[in-house]
Amino acid sequence: MLNIHKLSISFQGDYLFQDISFRLAVGDRIGLIGKNGAGKSTLLKILANEIEYDSGQIASEKQLKIGFLKQDIDFQYGKTILEETYEAFTEIRAIEAQLEKINNELADRSDYDSESYHKLMVDLNEIQHQYEILGGYNYKGQTERILQGLGFKRKEFNNLTDTFSGGWRMRIELAKLLLQNNDILLLDEPTNHLDIESIIWLESFLKNYSGAVVIVSHDKMFLDNVTNRTIEISLGRIYDYPKSYSQYLVLRQEIREQQLASQKNQQKHIEHTEKLIEKFRAKASKATMAQSLIKKLDRIERIEVDEDDNSTMSLKFPISVVPGKVIVEMQSISKNYGDLEVLKNINLQIDRNSKIAFVGQNGQGKSTLAKIIVNEIDFKGNLKLGHNVQIGYFAQNQAEYLEGNKTVLDTMIDAANESNRTKVRDILGAFLFRGDEVDKYVKVLSGGERNRLALAKLLLQPLNVLIMDEPTNHLDIKSKNVLKDALIKFEGTLVLVSHDRDFLQGLTNKVYYFKDKVIKEYLGDIDFFLEQRDLENLREAEKRDVVKENSRPNSNKQSYNLQKKLKSLNNKLSKIESQISDLEKEIKEIDVELATNYDATVADPSFFDTYQQKKDSLNQLMDNWETVHLEIESLEK
């Protein structure tokens, strides 16, 4: 599909990467990894033809369609969710406009026998046929399924995109890409704005994606679950292996150890040969032999060991003072944003040394409760901090908490006090801000660099409680591992808002699940929570919870029947979705055959009847899917 040969790009004279080569083929699901600043996003932009490269070649098949999800997107306001998502179907929408124009013209005319009227009818027939081939009769149902998979509710489809946060708008952009039938998908940090449930759905979608996918992500579990190949950019080179991330790490380490052993043996041979050369040089009778050994030594191809960039930040959160036993006590906490009620009558006590994870869909109140605890927003109810509680807060939207016109050094100096101002440069060095990098303006920092600066800034304040909202966004995997290790060793109280399952594993001992304005406690880590929520299918678990909440002591039989019916309907829905997928694939193959070999295809007299039957079956399946889905929604209420 796509061949990259000896590609190089430099900035201000320094190569970001040089002479890299690889090939993208159908079925490749590549995890593109590397440290912040290694060039991952730059490579995606080059593949998407958004920026120029210095040298090399990129060869692709004709009419190759590439979809690119960037970290930052320009979004047009004033459209509903459906209207914005339908923008994915530019060709279909253009044909719809043509059809509407022709139909309006036909409605206004009565010269049915004229040549021009006949031509309109011919045009209408051709355009309708083209509309059908492009999937014009199916795209709306497909759009709804994708949006629901990404966490949108059907009742929200006609809401304006202006009313949704940046994370939800990013999901709309992702939905558009998934609907475009691109040959190659380039996804830059696709999980940054997704909750755990939507990440699991996206994993399932990408596993079955027929084209090629290149993913830049620092979510180790997501990479392991989706990818079948890993390309690492390190120190200007790439390392390419047909393995998922964790398997790649093991394989690369084994290869590096083999290289080291081979290099060691080769070095011993070289040293022995050099000693012989020195010995023979001293004797005239051995001079010819010495020259022969020198030539032999020159011909030896030196074994190189893959370089590894092991520079990581250094992080430790010391506690200031020991607080009281109760850290936070909340009674009847509620929060509204205008008419939207996010939290209702929350009662929660956080004790000293608790390690807590806040999880749940976006918009369910996780970040809101974190902001309430640090007194950043107003609320209804009572909240009391315990004795000697000193909170360090890491906000999700770092851009709003760091001043863009300040340098990295000034940001730290302004946040420091008399006792730690002399340590500012040492702290910055520990977070990989060294030399001239401390004079960078905050506004030019990457997302990962801003996160590192925010973490460094945290160390300048006394704390014994850490409240961190999505701290792993934009951090590379090595930095995430350093942060996780520091939080495991942290002797204070920890509250984490996160969607990163691998990061949360073994880090917390209590999970609070946010849904429908309330929270539910799970006494265990994220693995226990996922098991309780029906392993990897959280949405199925939500349906069971609805049944449990509606049950009463004397209605066990009714509850059982409801559970049984829900299970049956969900199985039916899954079967219909599978049939839809298979039928859409068959129709697409026929459409391609029609477009490339029309005469031979239509030579079969039964062709059009069979083709239309498949179309009718697909429409019927879409209707069935909607009926079953509505029935499930009705039962859950």
Side-chain angles (χ1 to χ4, degrees), residues 36 46 133 141 148 192 226 243 261 306 330 409 445 486 523 551 605:
N36 292 123
I46 289 173
I133 288 175
Q148 286 178 312
N192 265 4
V226 172
K243 300 285 183 182
D306 293 342
M330 292 176 251
L409 183 60
L445 297 181
L523 297 175
S551 64

Side-chain angles (χ1 to χ4, degrees), residues 129-344:
H129 181 63
Q130 187 181 0
Y131 184 71
E132 189 174 6
I133 288 175
L134 291 172
Y137 298 111
N138 307 317
Y139 79 93
K140 291 185 177 179
Q142 191 182 4
T143 298
E144 292 185 13
R145 282 191 290 133
I146 295 289
L147 287 173
Q148 286 178 312
L150 287 170
F152 289 99
K153 296 173 183 174
R154 184 183 290 272
K155 64 183 180 182
E156 297 173 331
F157 287 171
N158 291 313
N159 292 355
L160 291 175
T161 58
D162 313 35
T163 61
F164 289 85
S165 67
W168 284 98
R169 293 201 294 271
M170 183 67 82
R171 292 183 195 216
I172 298 171
E173 198 66 18
L174 180 56
K176 286 159 65 176
L177 279 183
L178 300 182
L179 287 162
Q180 283 172 348
N181 292 322
N182 292 293
D183 301 298
I184 297 175
L185 276 181
L186 308 175
L187 306 178
D188 197 354
E189 300 283 11
T191 65
N192 265 4
H193 300 284
L194 300 182
D195 52 60
I196 291 175
E197 300 175 36
S198 297
I199 290 173
I200 291 172
W201 178 89
L202 181 60
E203 285 175 353
S204 176
F205 183 95
L206 292 176
K207 283 177 191 175
N208 299 309
Y209 192 72
S210 58
V213 185
V214 183
I215 304 166
V216 171
S217 178
H218 300 134
D219 187 328
K220 177 184 171 185
M221 191 174 289
F222 179 73
L223 288 172
D224 280 342
N225 289 341
V226 172
T227 62
N228 54 20
R229 182 177 163 194
T230 299
I231 295 178
E232 179 179 11
I233 304 178
S234 179
L235 301 172
R237 296 180 59 190
I238 65 167
Y239 301 90
D240 185 356
Y241 293 97
K243 300 285 183 182
S244 62
Y245 177 73
S246 293
Q247 294 173 323
Y248 158 75
L249 288 182
V250 173
L251 181 61
R252 188 177 171 201
Q253 184 59 30
E254 289 174 354
I255 290 172
R256 199 166 186 276
E257 287 171 0
Q258 290 170 3
Q259 289 173 337
L260 282 168
S262 300
Q263 187 187 57
K264 190 176 179 180
N265 291 333
Q266 187 186 63
Q267 192 59 36
K268 284 181 181 178
H269 173 68
I270 290 171
E271 288 172 2
H272 177 69
T273 305
E274 286 173 341
K275 286 178 182 178
L276 286 176
I277 291 169
E278 288 301 317
K279 184 179 178 181
F280 294 156
R281 267 179 176 164
K283 299 179 182 179
S285 60
K286 302 287 187 180
T288 304
M289 189 176 291
Q291 288 299 317
S292 176
L293 287 172
I294 289 171
K295 289 178 180 178
K296 184 179 179 181
L297 203 61
D298 289 339
R299 287 197 298 269
I300 292 177
E301 188 175 336
R302 298 306 201 259
I303 295 171
E304 292 185 1
V305 178
D306 293 342
E307 289 186 85
D308 201 3
D309 188 352
N310 289 312
S311 58
T312 56
M313 64 181 183
S314 175
L315 182 56
K316 182 181 179 182
F317 294 105
I319 66 168
S320 50
V321 294
V322 178
K325 184 179 179 182
V326 176
I327 300 297
V328 182
E329 191 173 0
M330 292 176 251
Q331 295 179 334
S332 302
I333 298 292
S334 298
K335 176 61 183 176
N336 290 56
Y337 292 101
D339 295 331
L340 179 64
E341 187 175 35
V342 179
L343 297 171
K344 184 176 181 179

Side-chain angles (χ1 to χ4, degrees), residues 557-570:
K557 186 175 180 181
Q558 183 182 359
S559 173
Y560 173 77
N561 289 336
L562 187 57
Q563 285 180 342
K564 190 175 179 181
K565 190 169 184 180
L566 272 172
K567 185 177 180 180
S568 173
L569 285 170
N570 280 301

